[in-house]
Amino acid sequence: MTSHTANYPVLEAVVVIERGLSDPMTEDWLTGIDLLSRLGGIPADPATAHSQRPLSQHIRLVRPKLKLSQAATWREIVAAAGAMVESVEASMHEADAAGMAIWLEADCAEMLACSFAVERFGGEGAITEIFFDVTPHAALRFSEPFGQQVLKRIQAGLLGGGAKPYFVARHAAIDEALHALGAPVVVDPPFAPTPRSAPTNGQTPTRAELDIQDITSTTASGDKFYTKLRQRVLELMSQRSNGPMEVSVKGAVAQIVRATPYLEDLASAKIALSLHPEDPENQSALNTLNASPVLRLAFPEGYEDGRVSDPDITALREVRSRSTPAEWINFLVRSAHDAVGYGVKDLSIGDRNIRLDIR
Amino acid sequence: MKTAQEKRVLVLDPGFRTLTGHHFNNNVSLTMAGADANAKFRILAGDSCGSVGQLDPFTTPHFATDLYEGSVQFQESWEFDCWLHVNTKFRADLEAIEADDLDWATLILVPAITQFHILSLARWLDQELRKRPELKVIIQLMFSPTWTAWDAVCKSGDQMYAEAFDILRPHEGKRVFYCSELAASCREFEPMLNSKVQVLPHPGIWRKTAATSTSQSTEGAPLRIGYFGYAKREKGFHLVPDVVKLVRKRFDASEASFFVQVNHGAYDPEIVAADKALSDYSDPGVELRVGSMSDTEYLDSFESADVLLLPYDPELYRGRGSGVFSEAIGYGKIVIAPESAGVGEEIMAGNGAGVLFAKHDAQSVASATIEAILGARGLLKTARQSAQKWRDKHSGEGYLKILDGLIS
């Protein structure tokens, strides 16, 4: 799935373009700081970095005249790109001097505007590489027939202007979506998924559901499963914005395990997991999920109060007390095969807090 | 002053550029029928349109953008490039239409449009409809969303159409009416629209000669099989040499002869190869006519045929109508057509006579042709019985009648 890993040179100057960087509370800002700290030694402490003057030497803000909704039509996207060309062109001239541009959280209109701009002043040829940090929503839109044409035009336009485009995938779903479209995808260490929690700022998490069982039941081949799963994860990610989100995943454990790289794309989401004990892959499945640096398993709604009414809970606690974490999970799975109906929660296994629902 | 019943029709026809062809025929047919239907016409044609004979009083060269235009800036993104280029250019053409023409018109008729033009048309129409509350519009959806003039398959055509339809949604079914030539092509567009797409047959000009004046009526003459029209892969021209050879294995020149129009732009190697194969094939029963023909020569040749080969690729041709097909039915010919395309559907619906092929290859087309030759007597009888009804429907009068029903 991963195409290749890029090794960024440490550059004297890099132009980073992002319309949202004026707000230091956004995830974009944090990503920008993170990236710049790797590239040019900018202090990485997000609490102070936004006030650091050196940052301004590296960042060029682009503010589109038209703020697009996620439901924007292609005609609106192309029109927005057209409206942005002039301001983007100025930034591209700066990038030309730097030799390289990185566009954080790039959406379709911004990438197209960038391509138009380079086409317009193309020929100077000093800018050799442009890295687009593609948003989940843009990856989703590129999968549409018209979107594929736009993606190809972006690539062709930039190459025509002497700039090689790379599409940076920070998530597995984006990586695979773009890779399937033949775009040069970079999965870059600075952008690799990190188990960083999205700041909640006291916000109530948005709740969403990802029904993998439904995907499984409507598809015959693994390819289709991944295609549909990728599509749904991208949809969820594009809804996520910068706020916290809780995603409830429904499906057989074997399917959830297959989906793990995609679920990790929802890194800041809590994963509410429903196990299906009849599935023979449960045992290894749990271990796989547990090994994920990103997933945090949680009960589905309705199990929050911690009270379990099952009469055998005492026996279960005894088993738990004399088991290693691995033995405990094995026991749970075996038990679940035998008797549906156990409810267990708030397990402490090693240094992890895992919340499980077996029913 | 406008009277209540009078229709003043402004025809936007960027594909109308010559004194021959279907655009010309349609416009002649309409203007001739207009006198009896209290309809007057102004036609805005392509800007390269010279003298068009009897249509000169009605016609103004206007559109710089051709209906069959494309523009490829980058090979990889040709669909997007065409969409952007053609829409931009076409919008300028539309904006340049004189206010006098628009003030005069009660109805705008767009007899053909493509996925590359329709966004600018929709934007412009929306603007004009808001300014002119009495104005109504008929848009004839002539081409499938996948169609191109250069045999490529456009994959994003559906989205191009859908976004344009979206702009005109407030007027749809009230002041903007969508039509298409065949039932199958109507069905292609209906999922994108809230309203039904009406069948509106393209009007033809029909010779008054009887539909029975075929070579078959001459006792002992070979059955004549014709291929007419612009030679493209979507029209299966590349299959014709093998079809001829396969049919010839079954019937000699005294039983079946061929007339093949060879008219292409020499840009497709497969078509050029087929042209060469036909030229190299020495057979006294195969007559080739290279290049375009005048209307008279075309109709003379057409009328001499008994069976019309329409080896169209159903994947490319889809629900679209065909001038050659329409003429074949109107002149009582047997057609060889694809089963899974709009033209085949018309035969299955009993609107003409022919033999259909399921698979798009030379063997299947040849087998259908052989079957048609063997059953020619009965098929020709059926074909001739259907001809007049088809002509009535595909006439200027028939067209205006349907149009009246739509906008009233």
Side-chain angles (χ1 to χ4, degrees):
Chain A
M1 190 158 58
T2 297
S3 313
H4 69 273
T5 300
N7 293 313
Y8 284 146
V10 176
L11 298 175
E12 289 286 320
V14 175
V15 177
V16 179
I17 306 161
E18 166 52 43
R19 68 181 186 281
L21 274 177
S22 54
D23 179 2
M25 293 309 291
T26 63
E27 195 174 336
D28 295 345
W29 173 265
L30 297 175
T31 308
I33 299 300
D34 180 42
L35 175 68
L36 286 173
S37 69
R38 291 164 191 265
L39 290 170
I42 302 295
D45 179 3
T48 57
H50 68 274
S51 62
Q52 299 289 323
R53 294 300 300 161
L55 200 58
S56 63
Q57 295 171 12
H58 299 265
I59 293 179
R60 167 86 188 182
L61 296 181
V62 176
R63 295 182 180 281
K65 287 177 186 171
L66 180 63
K67 176 70 181 168
L68 289 171
S69 76
Q70 294 209 333
T73 59
W74 283 109
R75 63 174 193 270
E76 289 166 340
I77 290 169
V78 177
M84 270 190 276
V85 170
E86 279 189 19
S87 63
V88 173
E89 190 173 345
S91 300
M92 285 295 109
H93 279 295
E94 287 186 43
D96 207 36
M100 176 177 168
I102 299 172
W103 194 308
L104 295 180
E105 293 282 318
D107 67 24
C108 296
E110 290 165 341
M111 287 183 265
L112 188 58
C114 187
S115 179
F116 285 159
V118 171
E119 282 173 42
R120 270 166 59 144
F121 81 90
E124 295 176 27
I127 178 166
T128 56
E129 289 174 314
I130 296 184
F131 290 82
F132 293 115
D133 165 30
V134 181
T135 64
H137 186 252
L140 194 65
R141 298 302 301 266
F142 280 148
S143 300
E144 297 174 12
F146 197 99
Q148 291 177 33
Q149 283 289 307
V150 171
L151 176 63
K152 285 173 183 167
R153 172 59 185 260
I154 290 165
Q155 290 178 257
L158 290 170
L159 282 169
K164 273 188 192 168
Y166 293 99
F167 299 89
V168 179
R170 277 198 274 166
H171 306 285
I174 295 176
D175 176 23
E176 214 214 328
L178 293 173
H179 194 59
L181 298 173
V185 188
V186 174
V187 178
D188 189 56
F191 289 110
T194 53
R196 181 176 58 205
S197 299
T200 58
N201 296 332
Q203 289 176 266
T204 307
T206 313
R207 292 182 189 277
E209 188 173 276
L210 181 65
D211 193 340
I212 294 178
Q213 227 179 359
D214 167 52
I215 295 175
T216 313
S217 64
T218 55
T219 58
S221 71
D223 281 350
K224 280 187 180 172
F225 171 80
Y226 282 120
T227 304
K228 284 204 167 189
L229 178 64
R230 185 185 69 222
Q231 174 105 352
R232 292 202 185 171
V233 169
L234 284 172
E235 281 167 5
L236 281 174
M237 289 168 72
S238 69
Q239 288 166 21
R240 192 181 65 177
S241 185
N242 287 319
M245 179 183 242
E246 279 192 16
V247 181
S248 169
V249 184
K250 287 186 177 173
V253 171
Q255 300 297 339
I256 293 175
V257 169
R258 286 171 70 194
T260 299
Y262 298 92
L263 300 181
E264 287 184 346
D265 284 350
L266 300 165
S268 62
K270 279 185 180 174
I271 306 296
L273 176 63
S274 298
L275 294 183
H276 288 245
E278 70 276 13
D279 194 310
E281 293 184 47
N282 272 6
Q283 186 174 327
S284 60
L286 275 168
N287 290 331
T288 305
L289 292 171
N290 191 29
S292 167
V294 175
L295 298 183
R296 290 170 300 145
L297 307 182
F299 271 121
E301 273 186 88
Y303 289 82
E304 294 90 340
D305 63 4
R307 267 176 258 146
V308 182
S309 60
D310 194 286
D312 289 334
I313 192 67
T314 310
L316 280 172
R317 283 186 176 136
E318 281 177 21
V319 175
R320 177 190 164 193
S321 66
R322 53 184 162 81
S323 302
T324 65
E327 286 169 340
W328 172 237
I329 288 181
N330 288 344
F331 171 81
L332 286 181
V333 174
R334 275 202 314 277
S335 303
H337 275 286
D338 297 335
V340 178
Y342 292 121
V344 184
K345 70 176 295 186
D346 281 340
L347 303 175
S348 292
I349 299 175
D351 58 356
R352 289 178 173 278
N353 290 320
I354 298 179
R355 308 175 77 201
L356 294 174
D357 170 34
I358 299 179
R359 51 187 175 166
Chain B
M1 184 176 163
K2 294 170 188 173
T3 60
Q5 285 79 28
E6 186 182 69
K7 278 188 294 296
R8 296 181 176 181
V9 186
L10 183 64
V11 183
L12 310 184
D13 195 353
F16 174 33
R17 288 173 185 263
T18 60
L19 193 55
T20 59
H22 295 117
H23 289 276
F24 174 77
N25 289 349
N26 293 348
N27 286 322
V28 168
S29 184
L30 275 184
T31 50
M32 283 170 66
D36 293 335
N38 202 16
K40 293 185 171 134
F41 291 89
R42 288 187 187 179
I43 303 166
L44 300 184
D47 63 356
S48 61
C49 186
S51 173
V52 279
Q54 67 195 91
L55 288 176
D56 279 340
F58 309 102
T59 306
T60 307
H62 177 82
F63 290 100
T65 317
D66 198 330
L67 184 67
Y68 305 102
E69 184 161 336
S71 171
V72 179
Q73 188 170 350
F74 301 106
Q75 202 61 46
E76 305 88 336
S77 58
W78 64 266
E79 293 179 29
F80 177 83
D81 294 345
C82 286
W83 177 85
L84 193 59
H85 165 83
V86 173
N87 273 314
T88 305
K89 192 173 164 191
F90 194 50
R91 181 64 191 258
D93 286 343
L94 292 165
E95 292 292 350
I97 293 175
E98 300 279 348
D100 174 62
D101 285 331
L102 292 165
D103 292 341
W104 171 85
T106 57
L107 179 70
I108 289 177
L109 173 64
V110 184
I113 197 77
T114 83
Q115 67 271 33
F116 301 127
H117 299 70
I118 196 163
L119 179 65
S120 50
L121 177 73
R123 282 181 163 148
W124 176 79
L125 281 175
D126 181 49
Q127 165 193 306
E128 294 305 323
L129 286 166
R130 288 173 197 280
K131 281 193 271 184
R132 296 177 167 79
E134 301 299 318
L135 192 61
K136 291 182 178 176
V137 182
I138 300 279
I139 300 175
Q140 182 90 325
L141 302 166
M142 185 171 166
F143 303 109
S144 293
T146 53
W147 177 88
T148 64
W150 50 92
D151 258 348
V153 177
C154 180
K155 290 178 181 163
S156 50
D158 276 342
Q159 279 187 300
M160 294 172 182
Y161 272 109
E163 290 207 356
F165 291 152
D166 189 44
I167 293 172
L168 290 174
R169 196 79 66 202
H171 314 290
E172 187 185 327
K174 298 171 202 148
R175 297 173 64 197
V176 174
F177 305 92
Y178 297 102
C179 307
S180 196
E181 192 177 354
L182 302 179
S185 56
C186 292
R187 286 200 307 273
E188 281 200 78
F189 290 100
E190 275 172 354
M192 301 177 224
L193 292 161
N194 288 338
S195 59
K196 192 165 169 54
V197 180
Q198 301 289 335
V199 175
L200 182 59
H202 271 290
I205 305 174
W206 304 101
R207 273 188 180 177
K208 301 249 181 266
T209 51
T212 53
S213 63
T214 66
S215 61
Q216 177 69 9
S217 61
T218 310
E219 198 62 38
L223 210 68
R224 197 163 169 81
I225 299 148
Y227 178 94
F228 291 86
Y230 194 74
K232 294 168 73 179
R233 264 182 296 134
E234 71 164 13
K235 293 186 175 180
F237 182 79
H238 58 300
L239 302 181
V240 173
D242 285 341
V243 171
V244 170
K245 287 173 194 169
L246 288 164
V247 173
R248 179 57 79 231
K249 279 185 183 171
R250 180 70 171 75
F251 299 105
D252 63 27
S254 69
E255 296 168 301
S257 68
F258 288 88
F259 178 92
V260 181
Q261 185 182 9
V262 182
N263 183 27
H264 60 85
Y267 61 86
D268 184 335
E270 208 172 353
I271 298 300
V272 173
D275 179 350
K276 186 169 184 315
L278 283 168
S279 305
D280 292 346
Y281 184 62
S282 178
D283 184 324
V286 179
E287 184 185 345
L288 303 183
R289 172 63 173 87
V290 177
S292 59
M293 292 186 270
S294 69
D295 272 357
T296 306
E297 186 191 359
Y298 176 84
L299 282 173
D300 286 346
S301 308
F302 201 93
E303 282 197 283
S304 75
D306 305 289
V307 179
L308 265 298
L309 272 184
L310 283 79
Y312 298 171
D313 183 344
E315 289 294 317
L316 298 173
Y317 215 83
R318 295 168 52 130
R320 185 150 58 99
S322 150
V324 176
F325 172 78
S326 182
E327 284 160 354
I329 304 300
Y331 285 114
K333 312 296 180 188
I334 302 166
V335 296
I336 309 298
E339 185 181 279
S340 54
V343 288
E345 190 178 304
E346 292 295 314
I347 297 297
M348 284 190 275
N351 292 325
V355 180
L356 308 179
F357 55 87
K359 215 171 154 191
H360 189 243
D361 58 30
Q363 184 61 60
S364 303
V365 177
S367 298
T369 309
I370 290 166
E371 192 183 328
I373 295 169
L374 291 171
R377 190 175 293 277
L379 285 168
L380 277 169
K381 192 177 169 194
T382 308
R384 288 165 191 161
Q385 284 166 350
S386 312
Q388 191 56 50
K389 191 177 165 194
W390 185 268
R391 288 184 185 206
D392 291 344
K393 204 170 151 193
H394 291 74
S395 64
E397 291 80 4
Y399 188 97
L400 289 176
K401 202 172 160 188
I402 294 173
L403 205 136
D404 260 345
L406 272 175
I407 60 173
S408 58

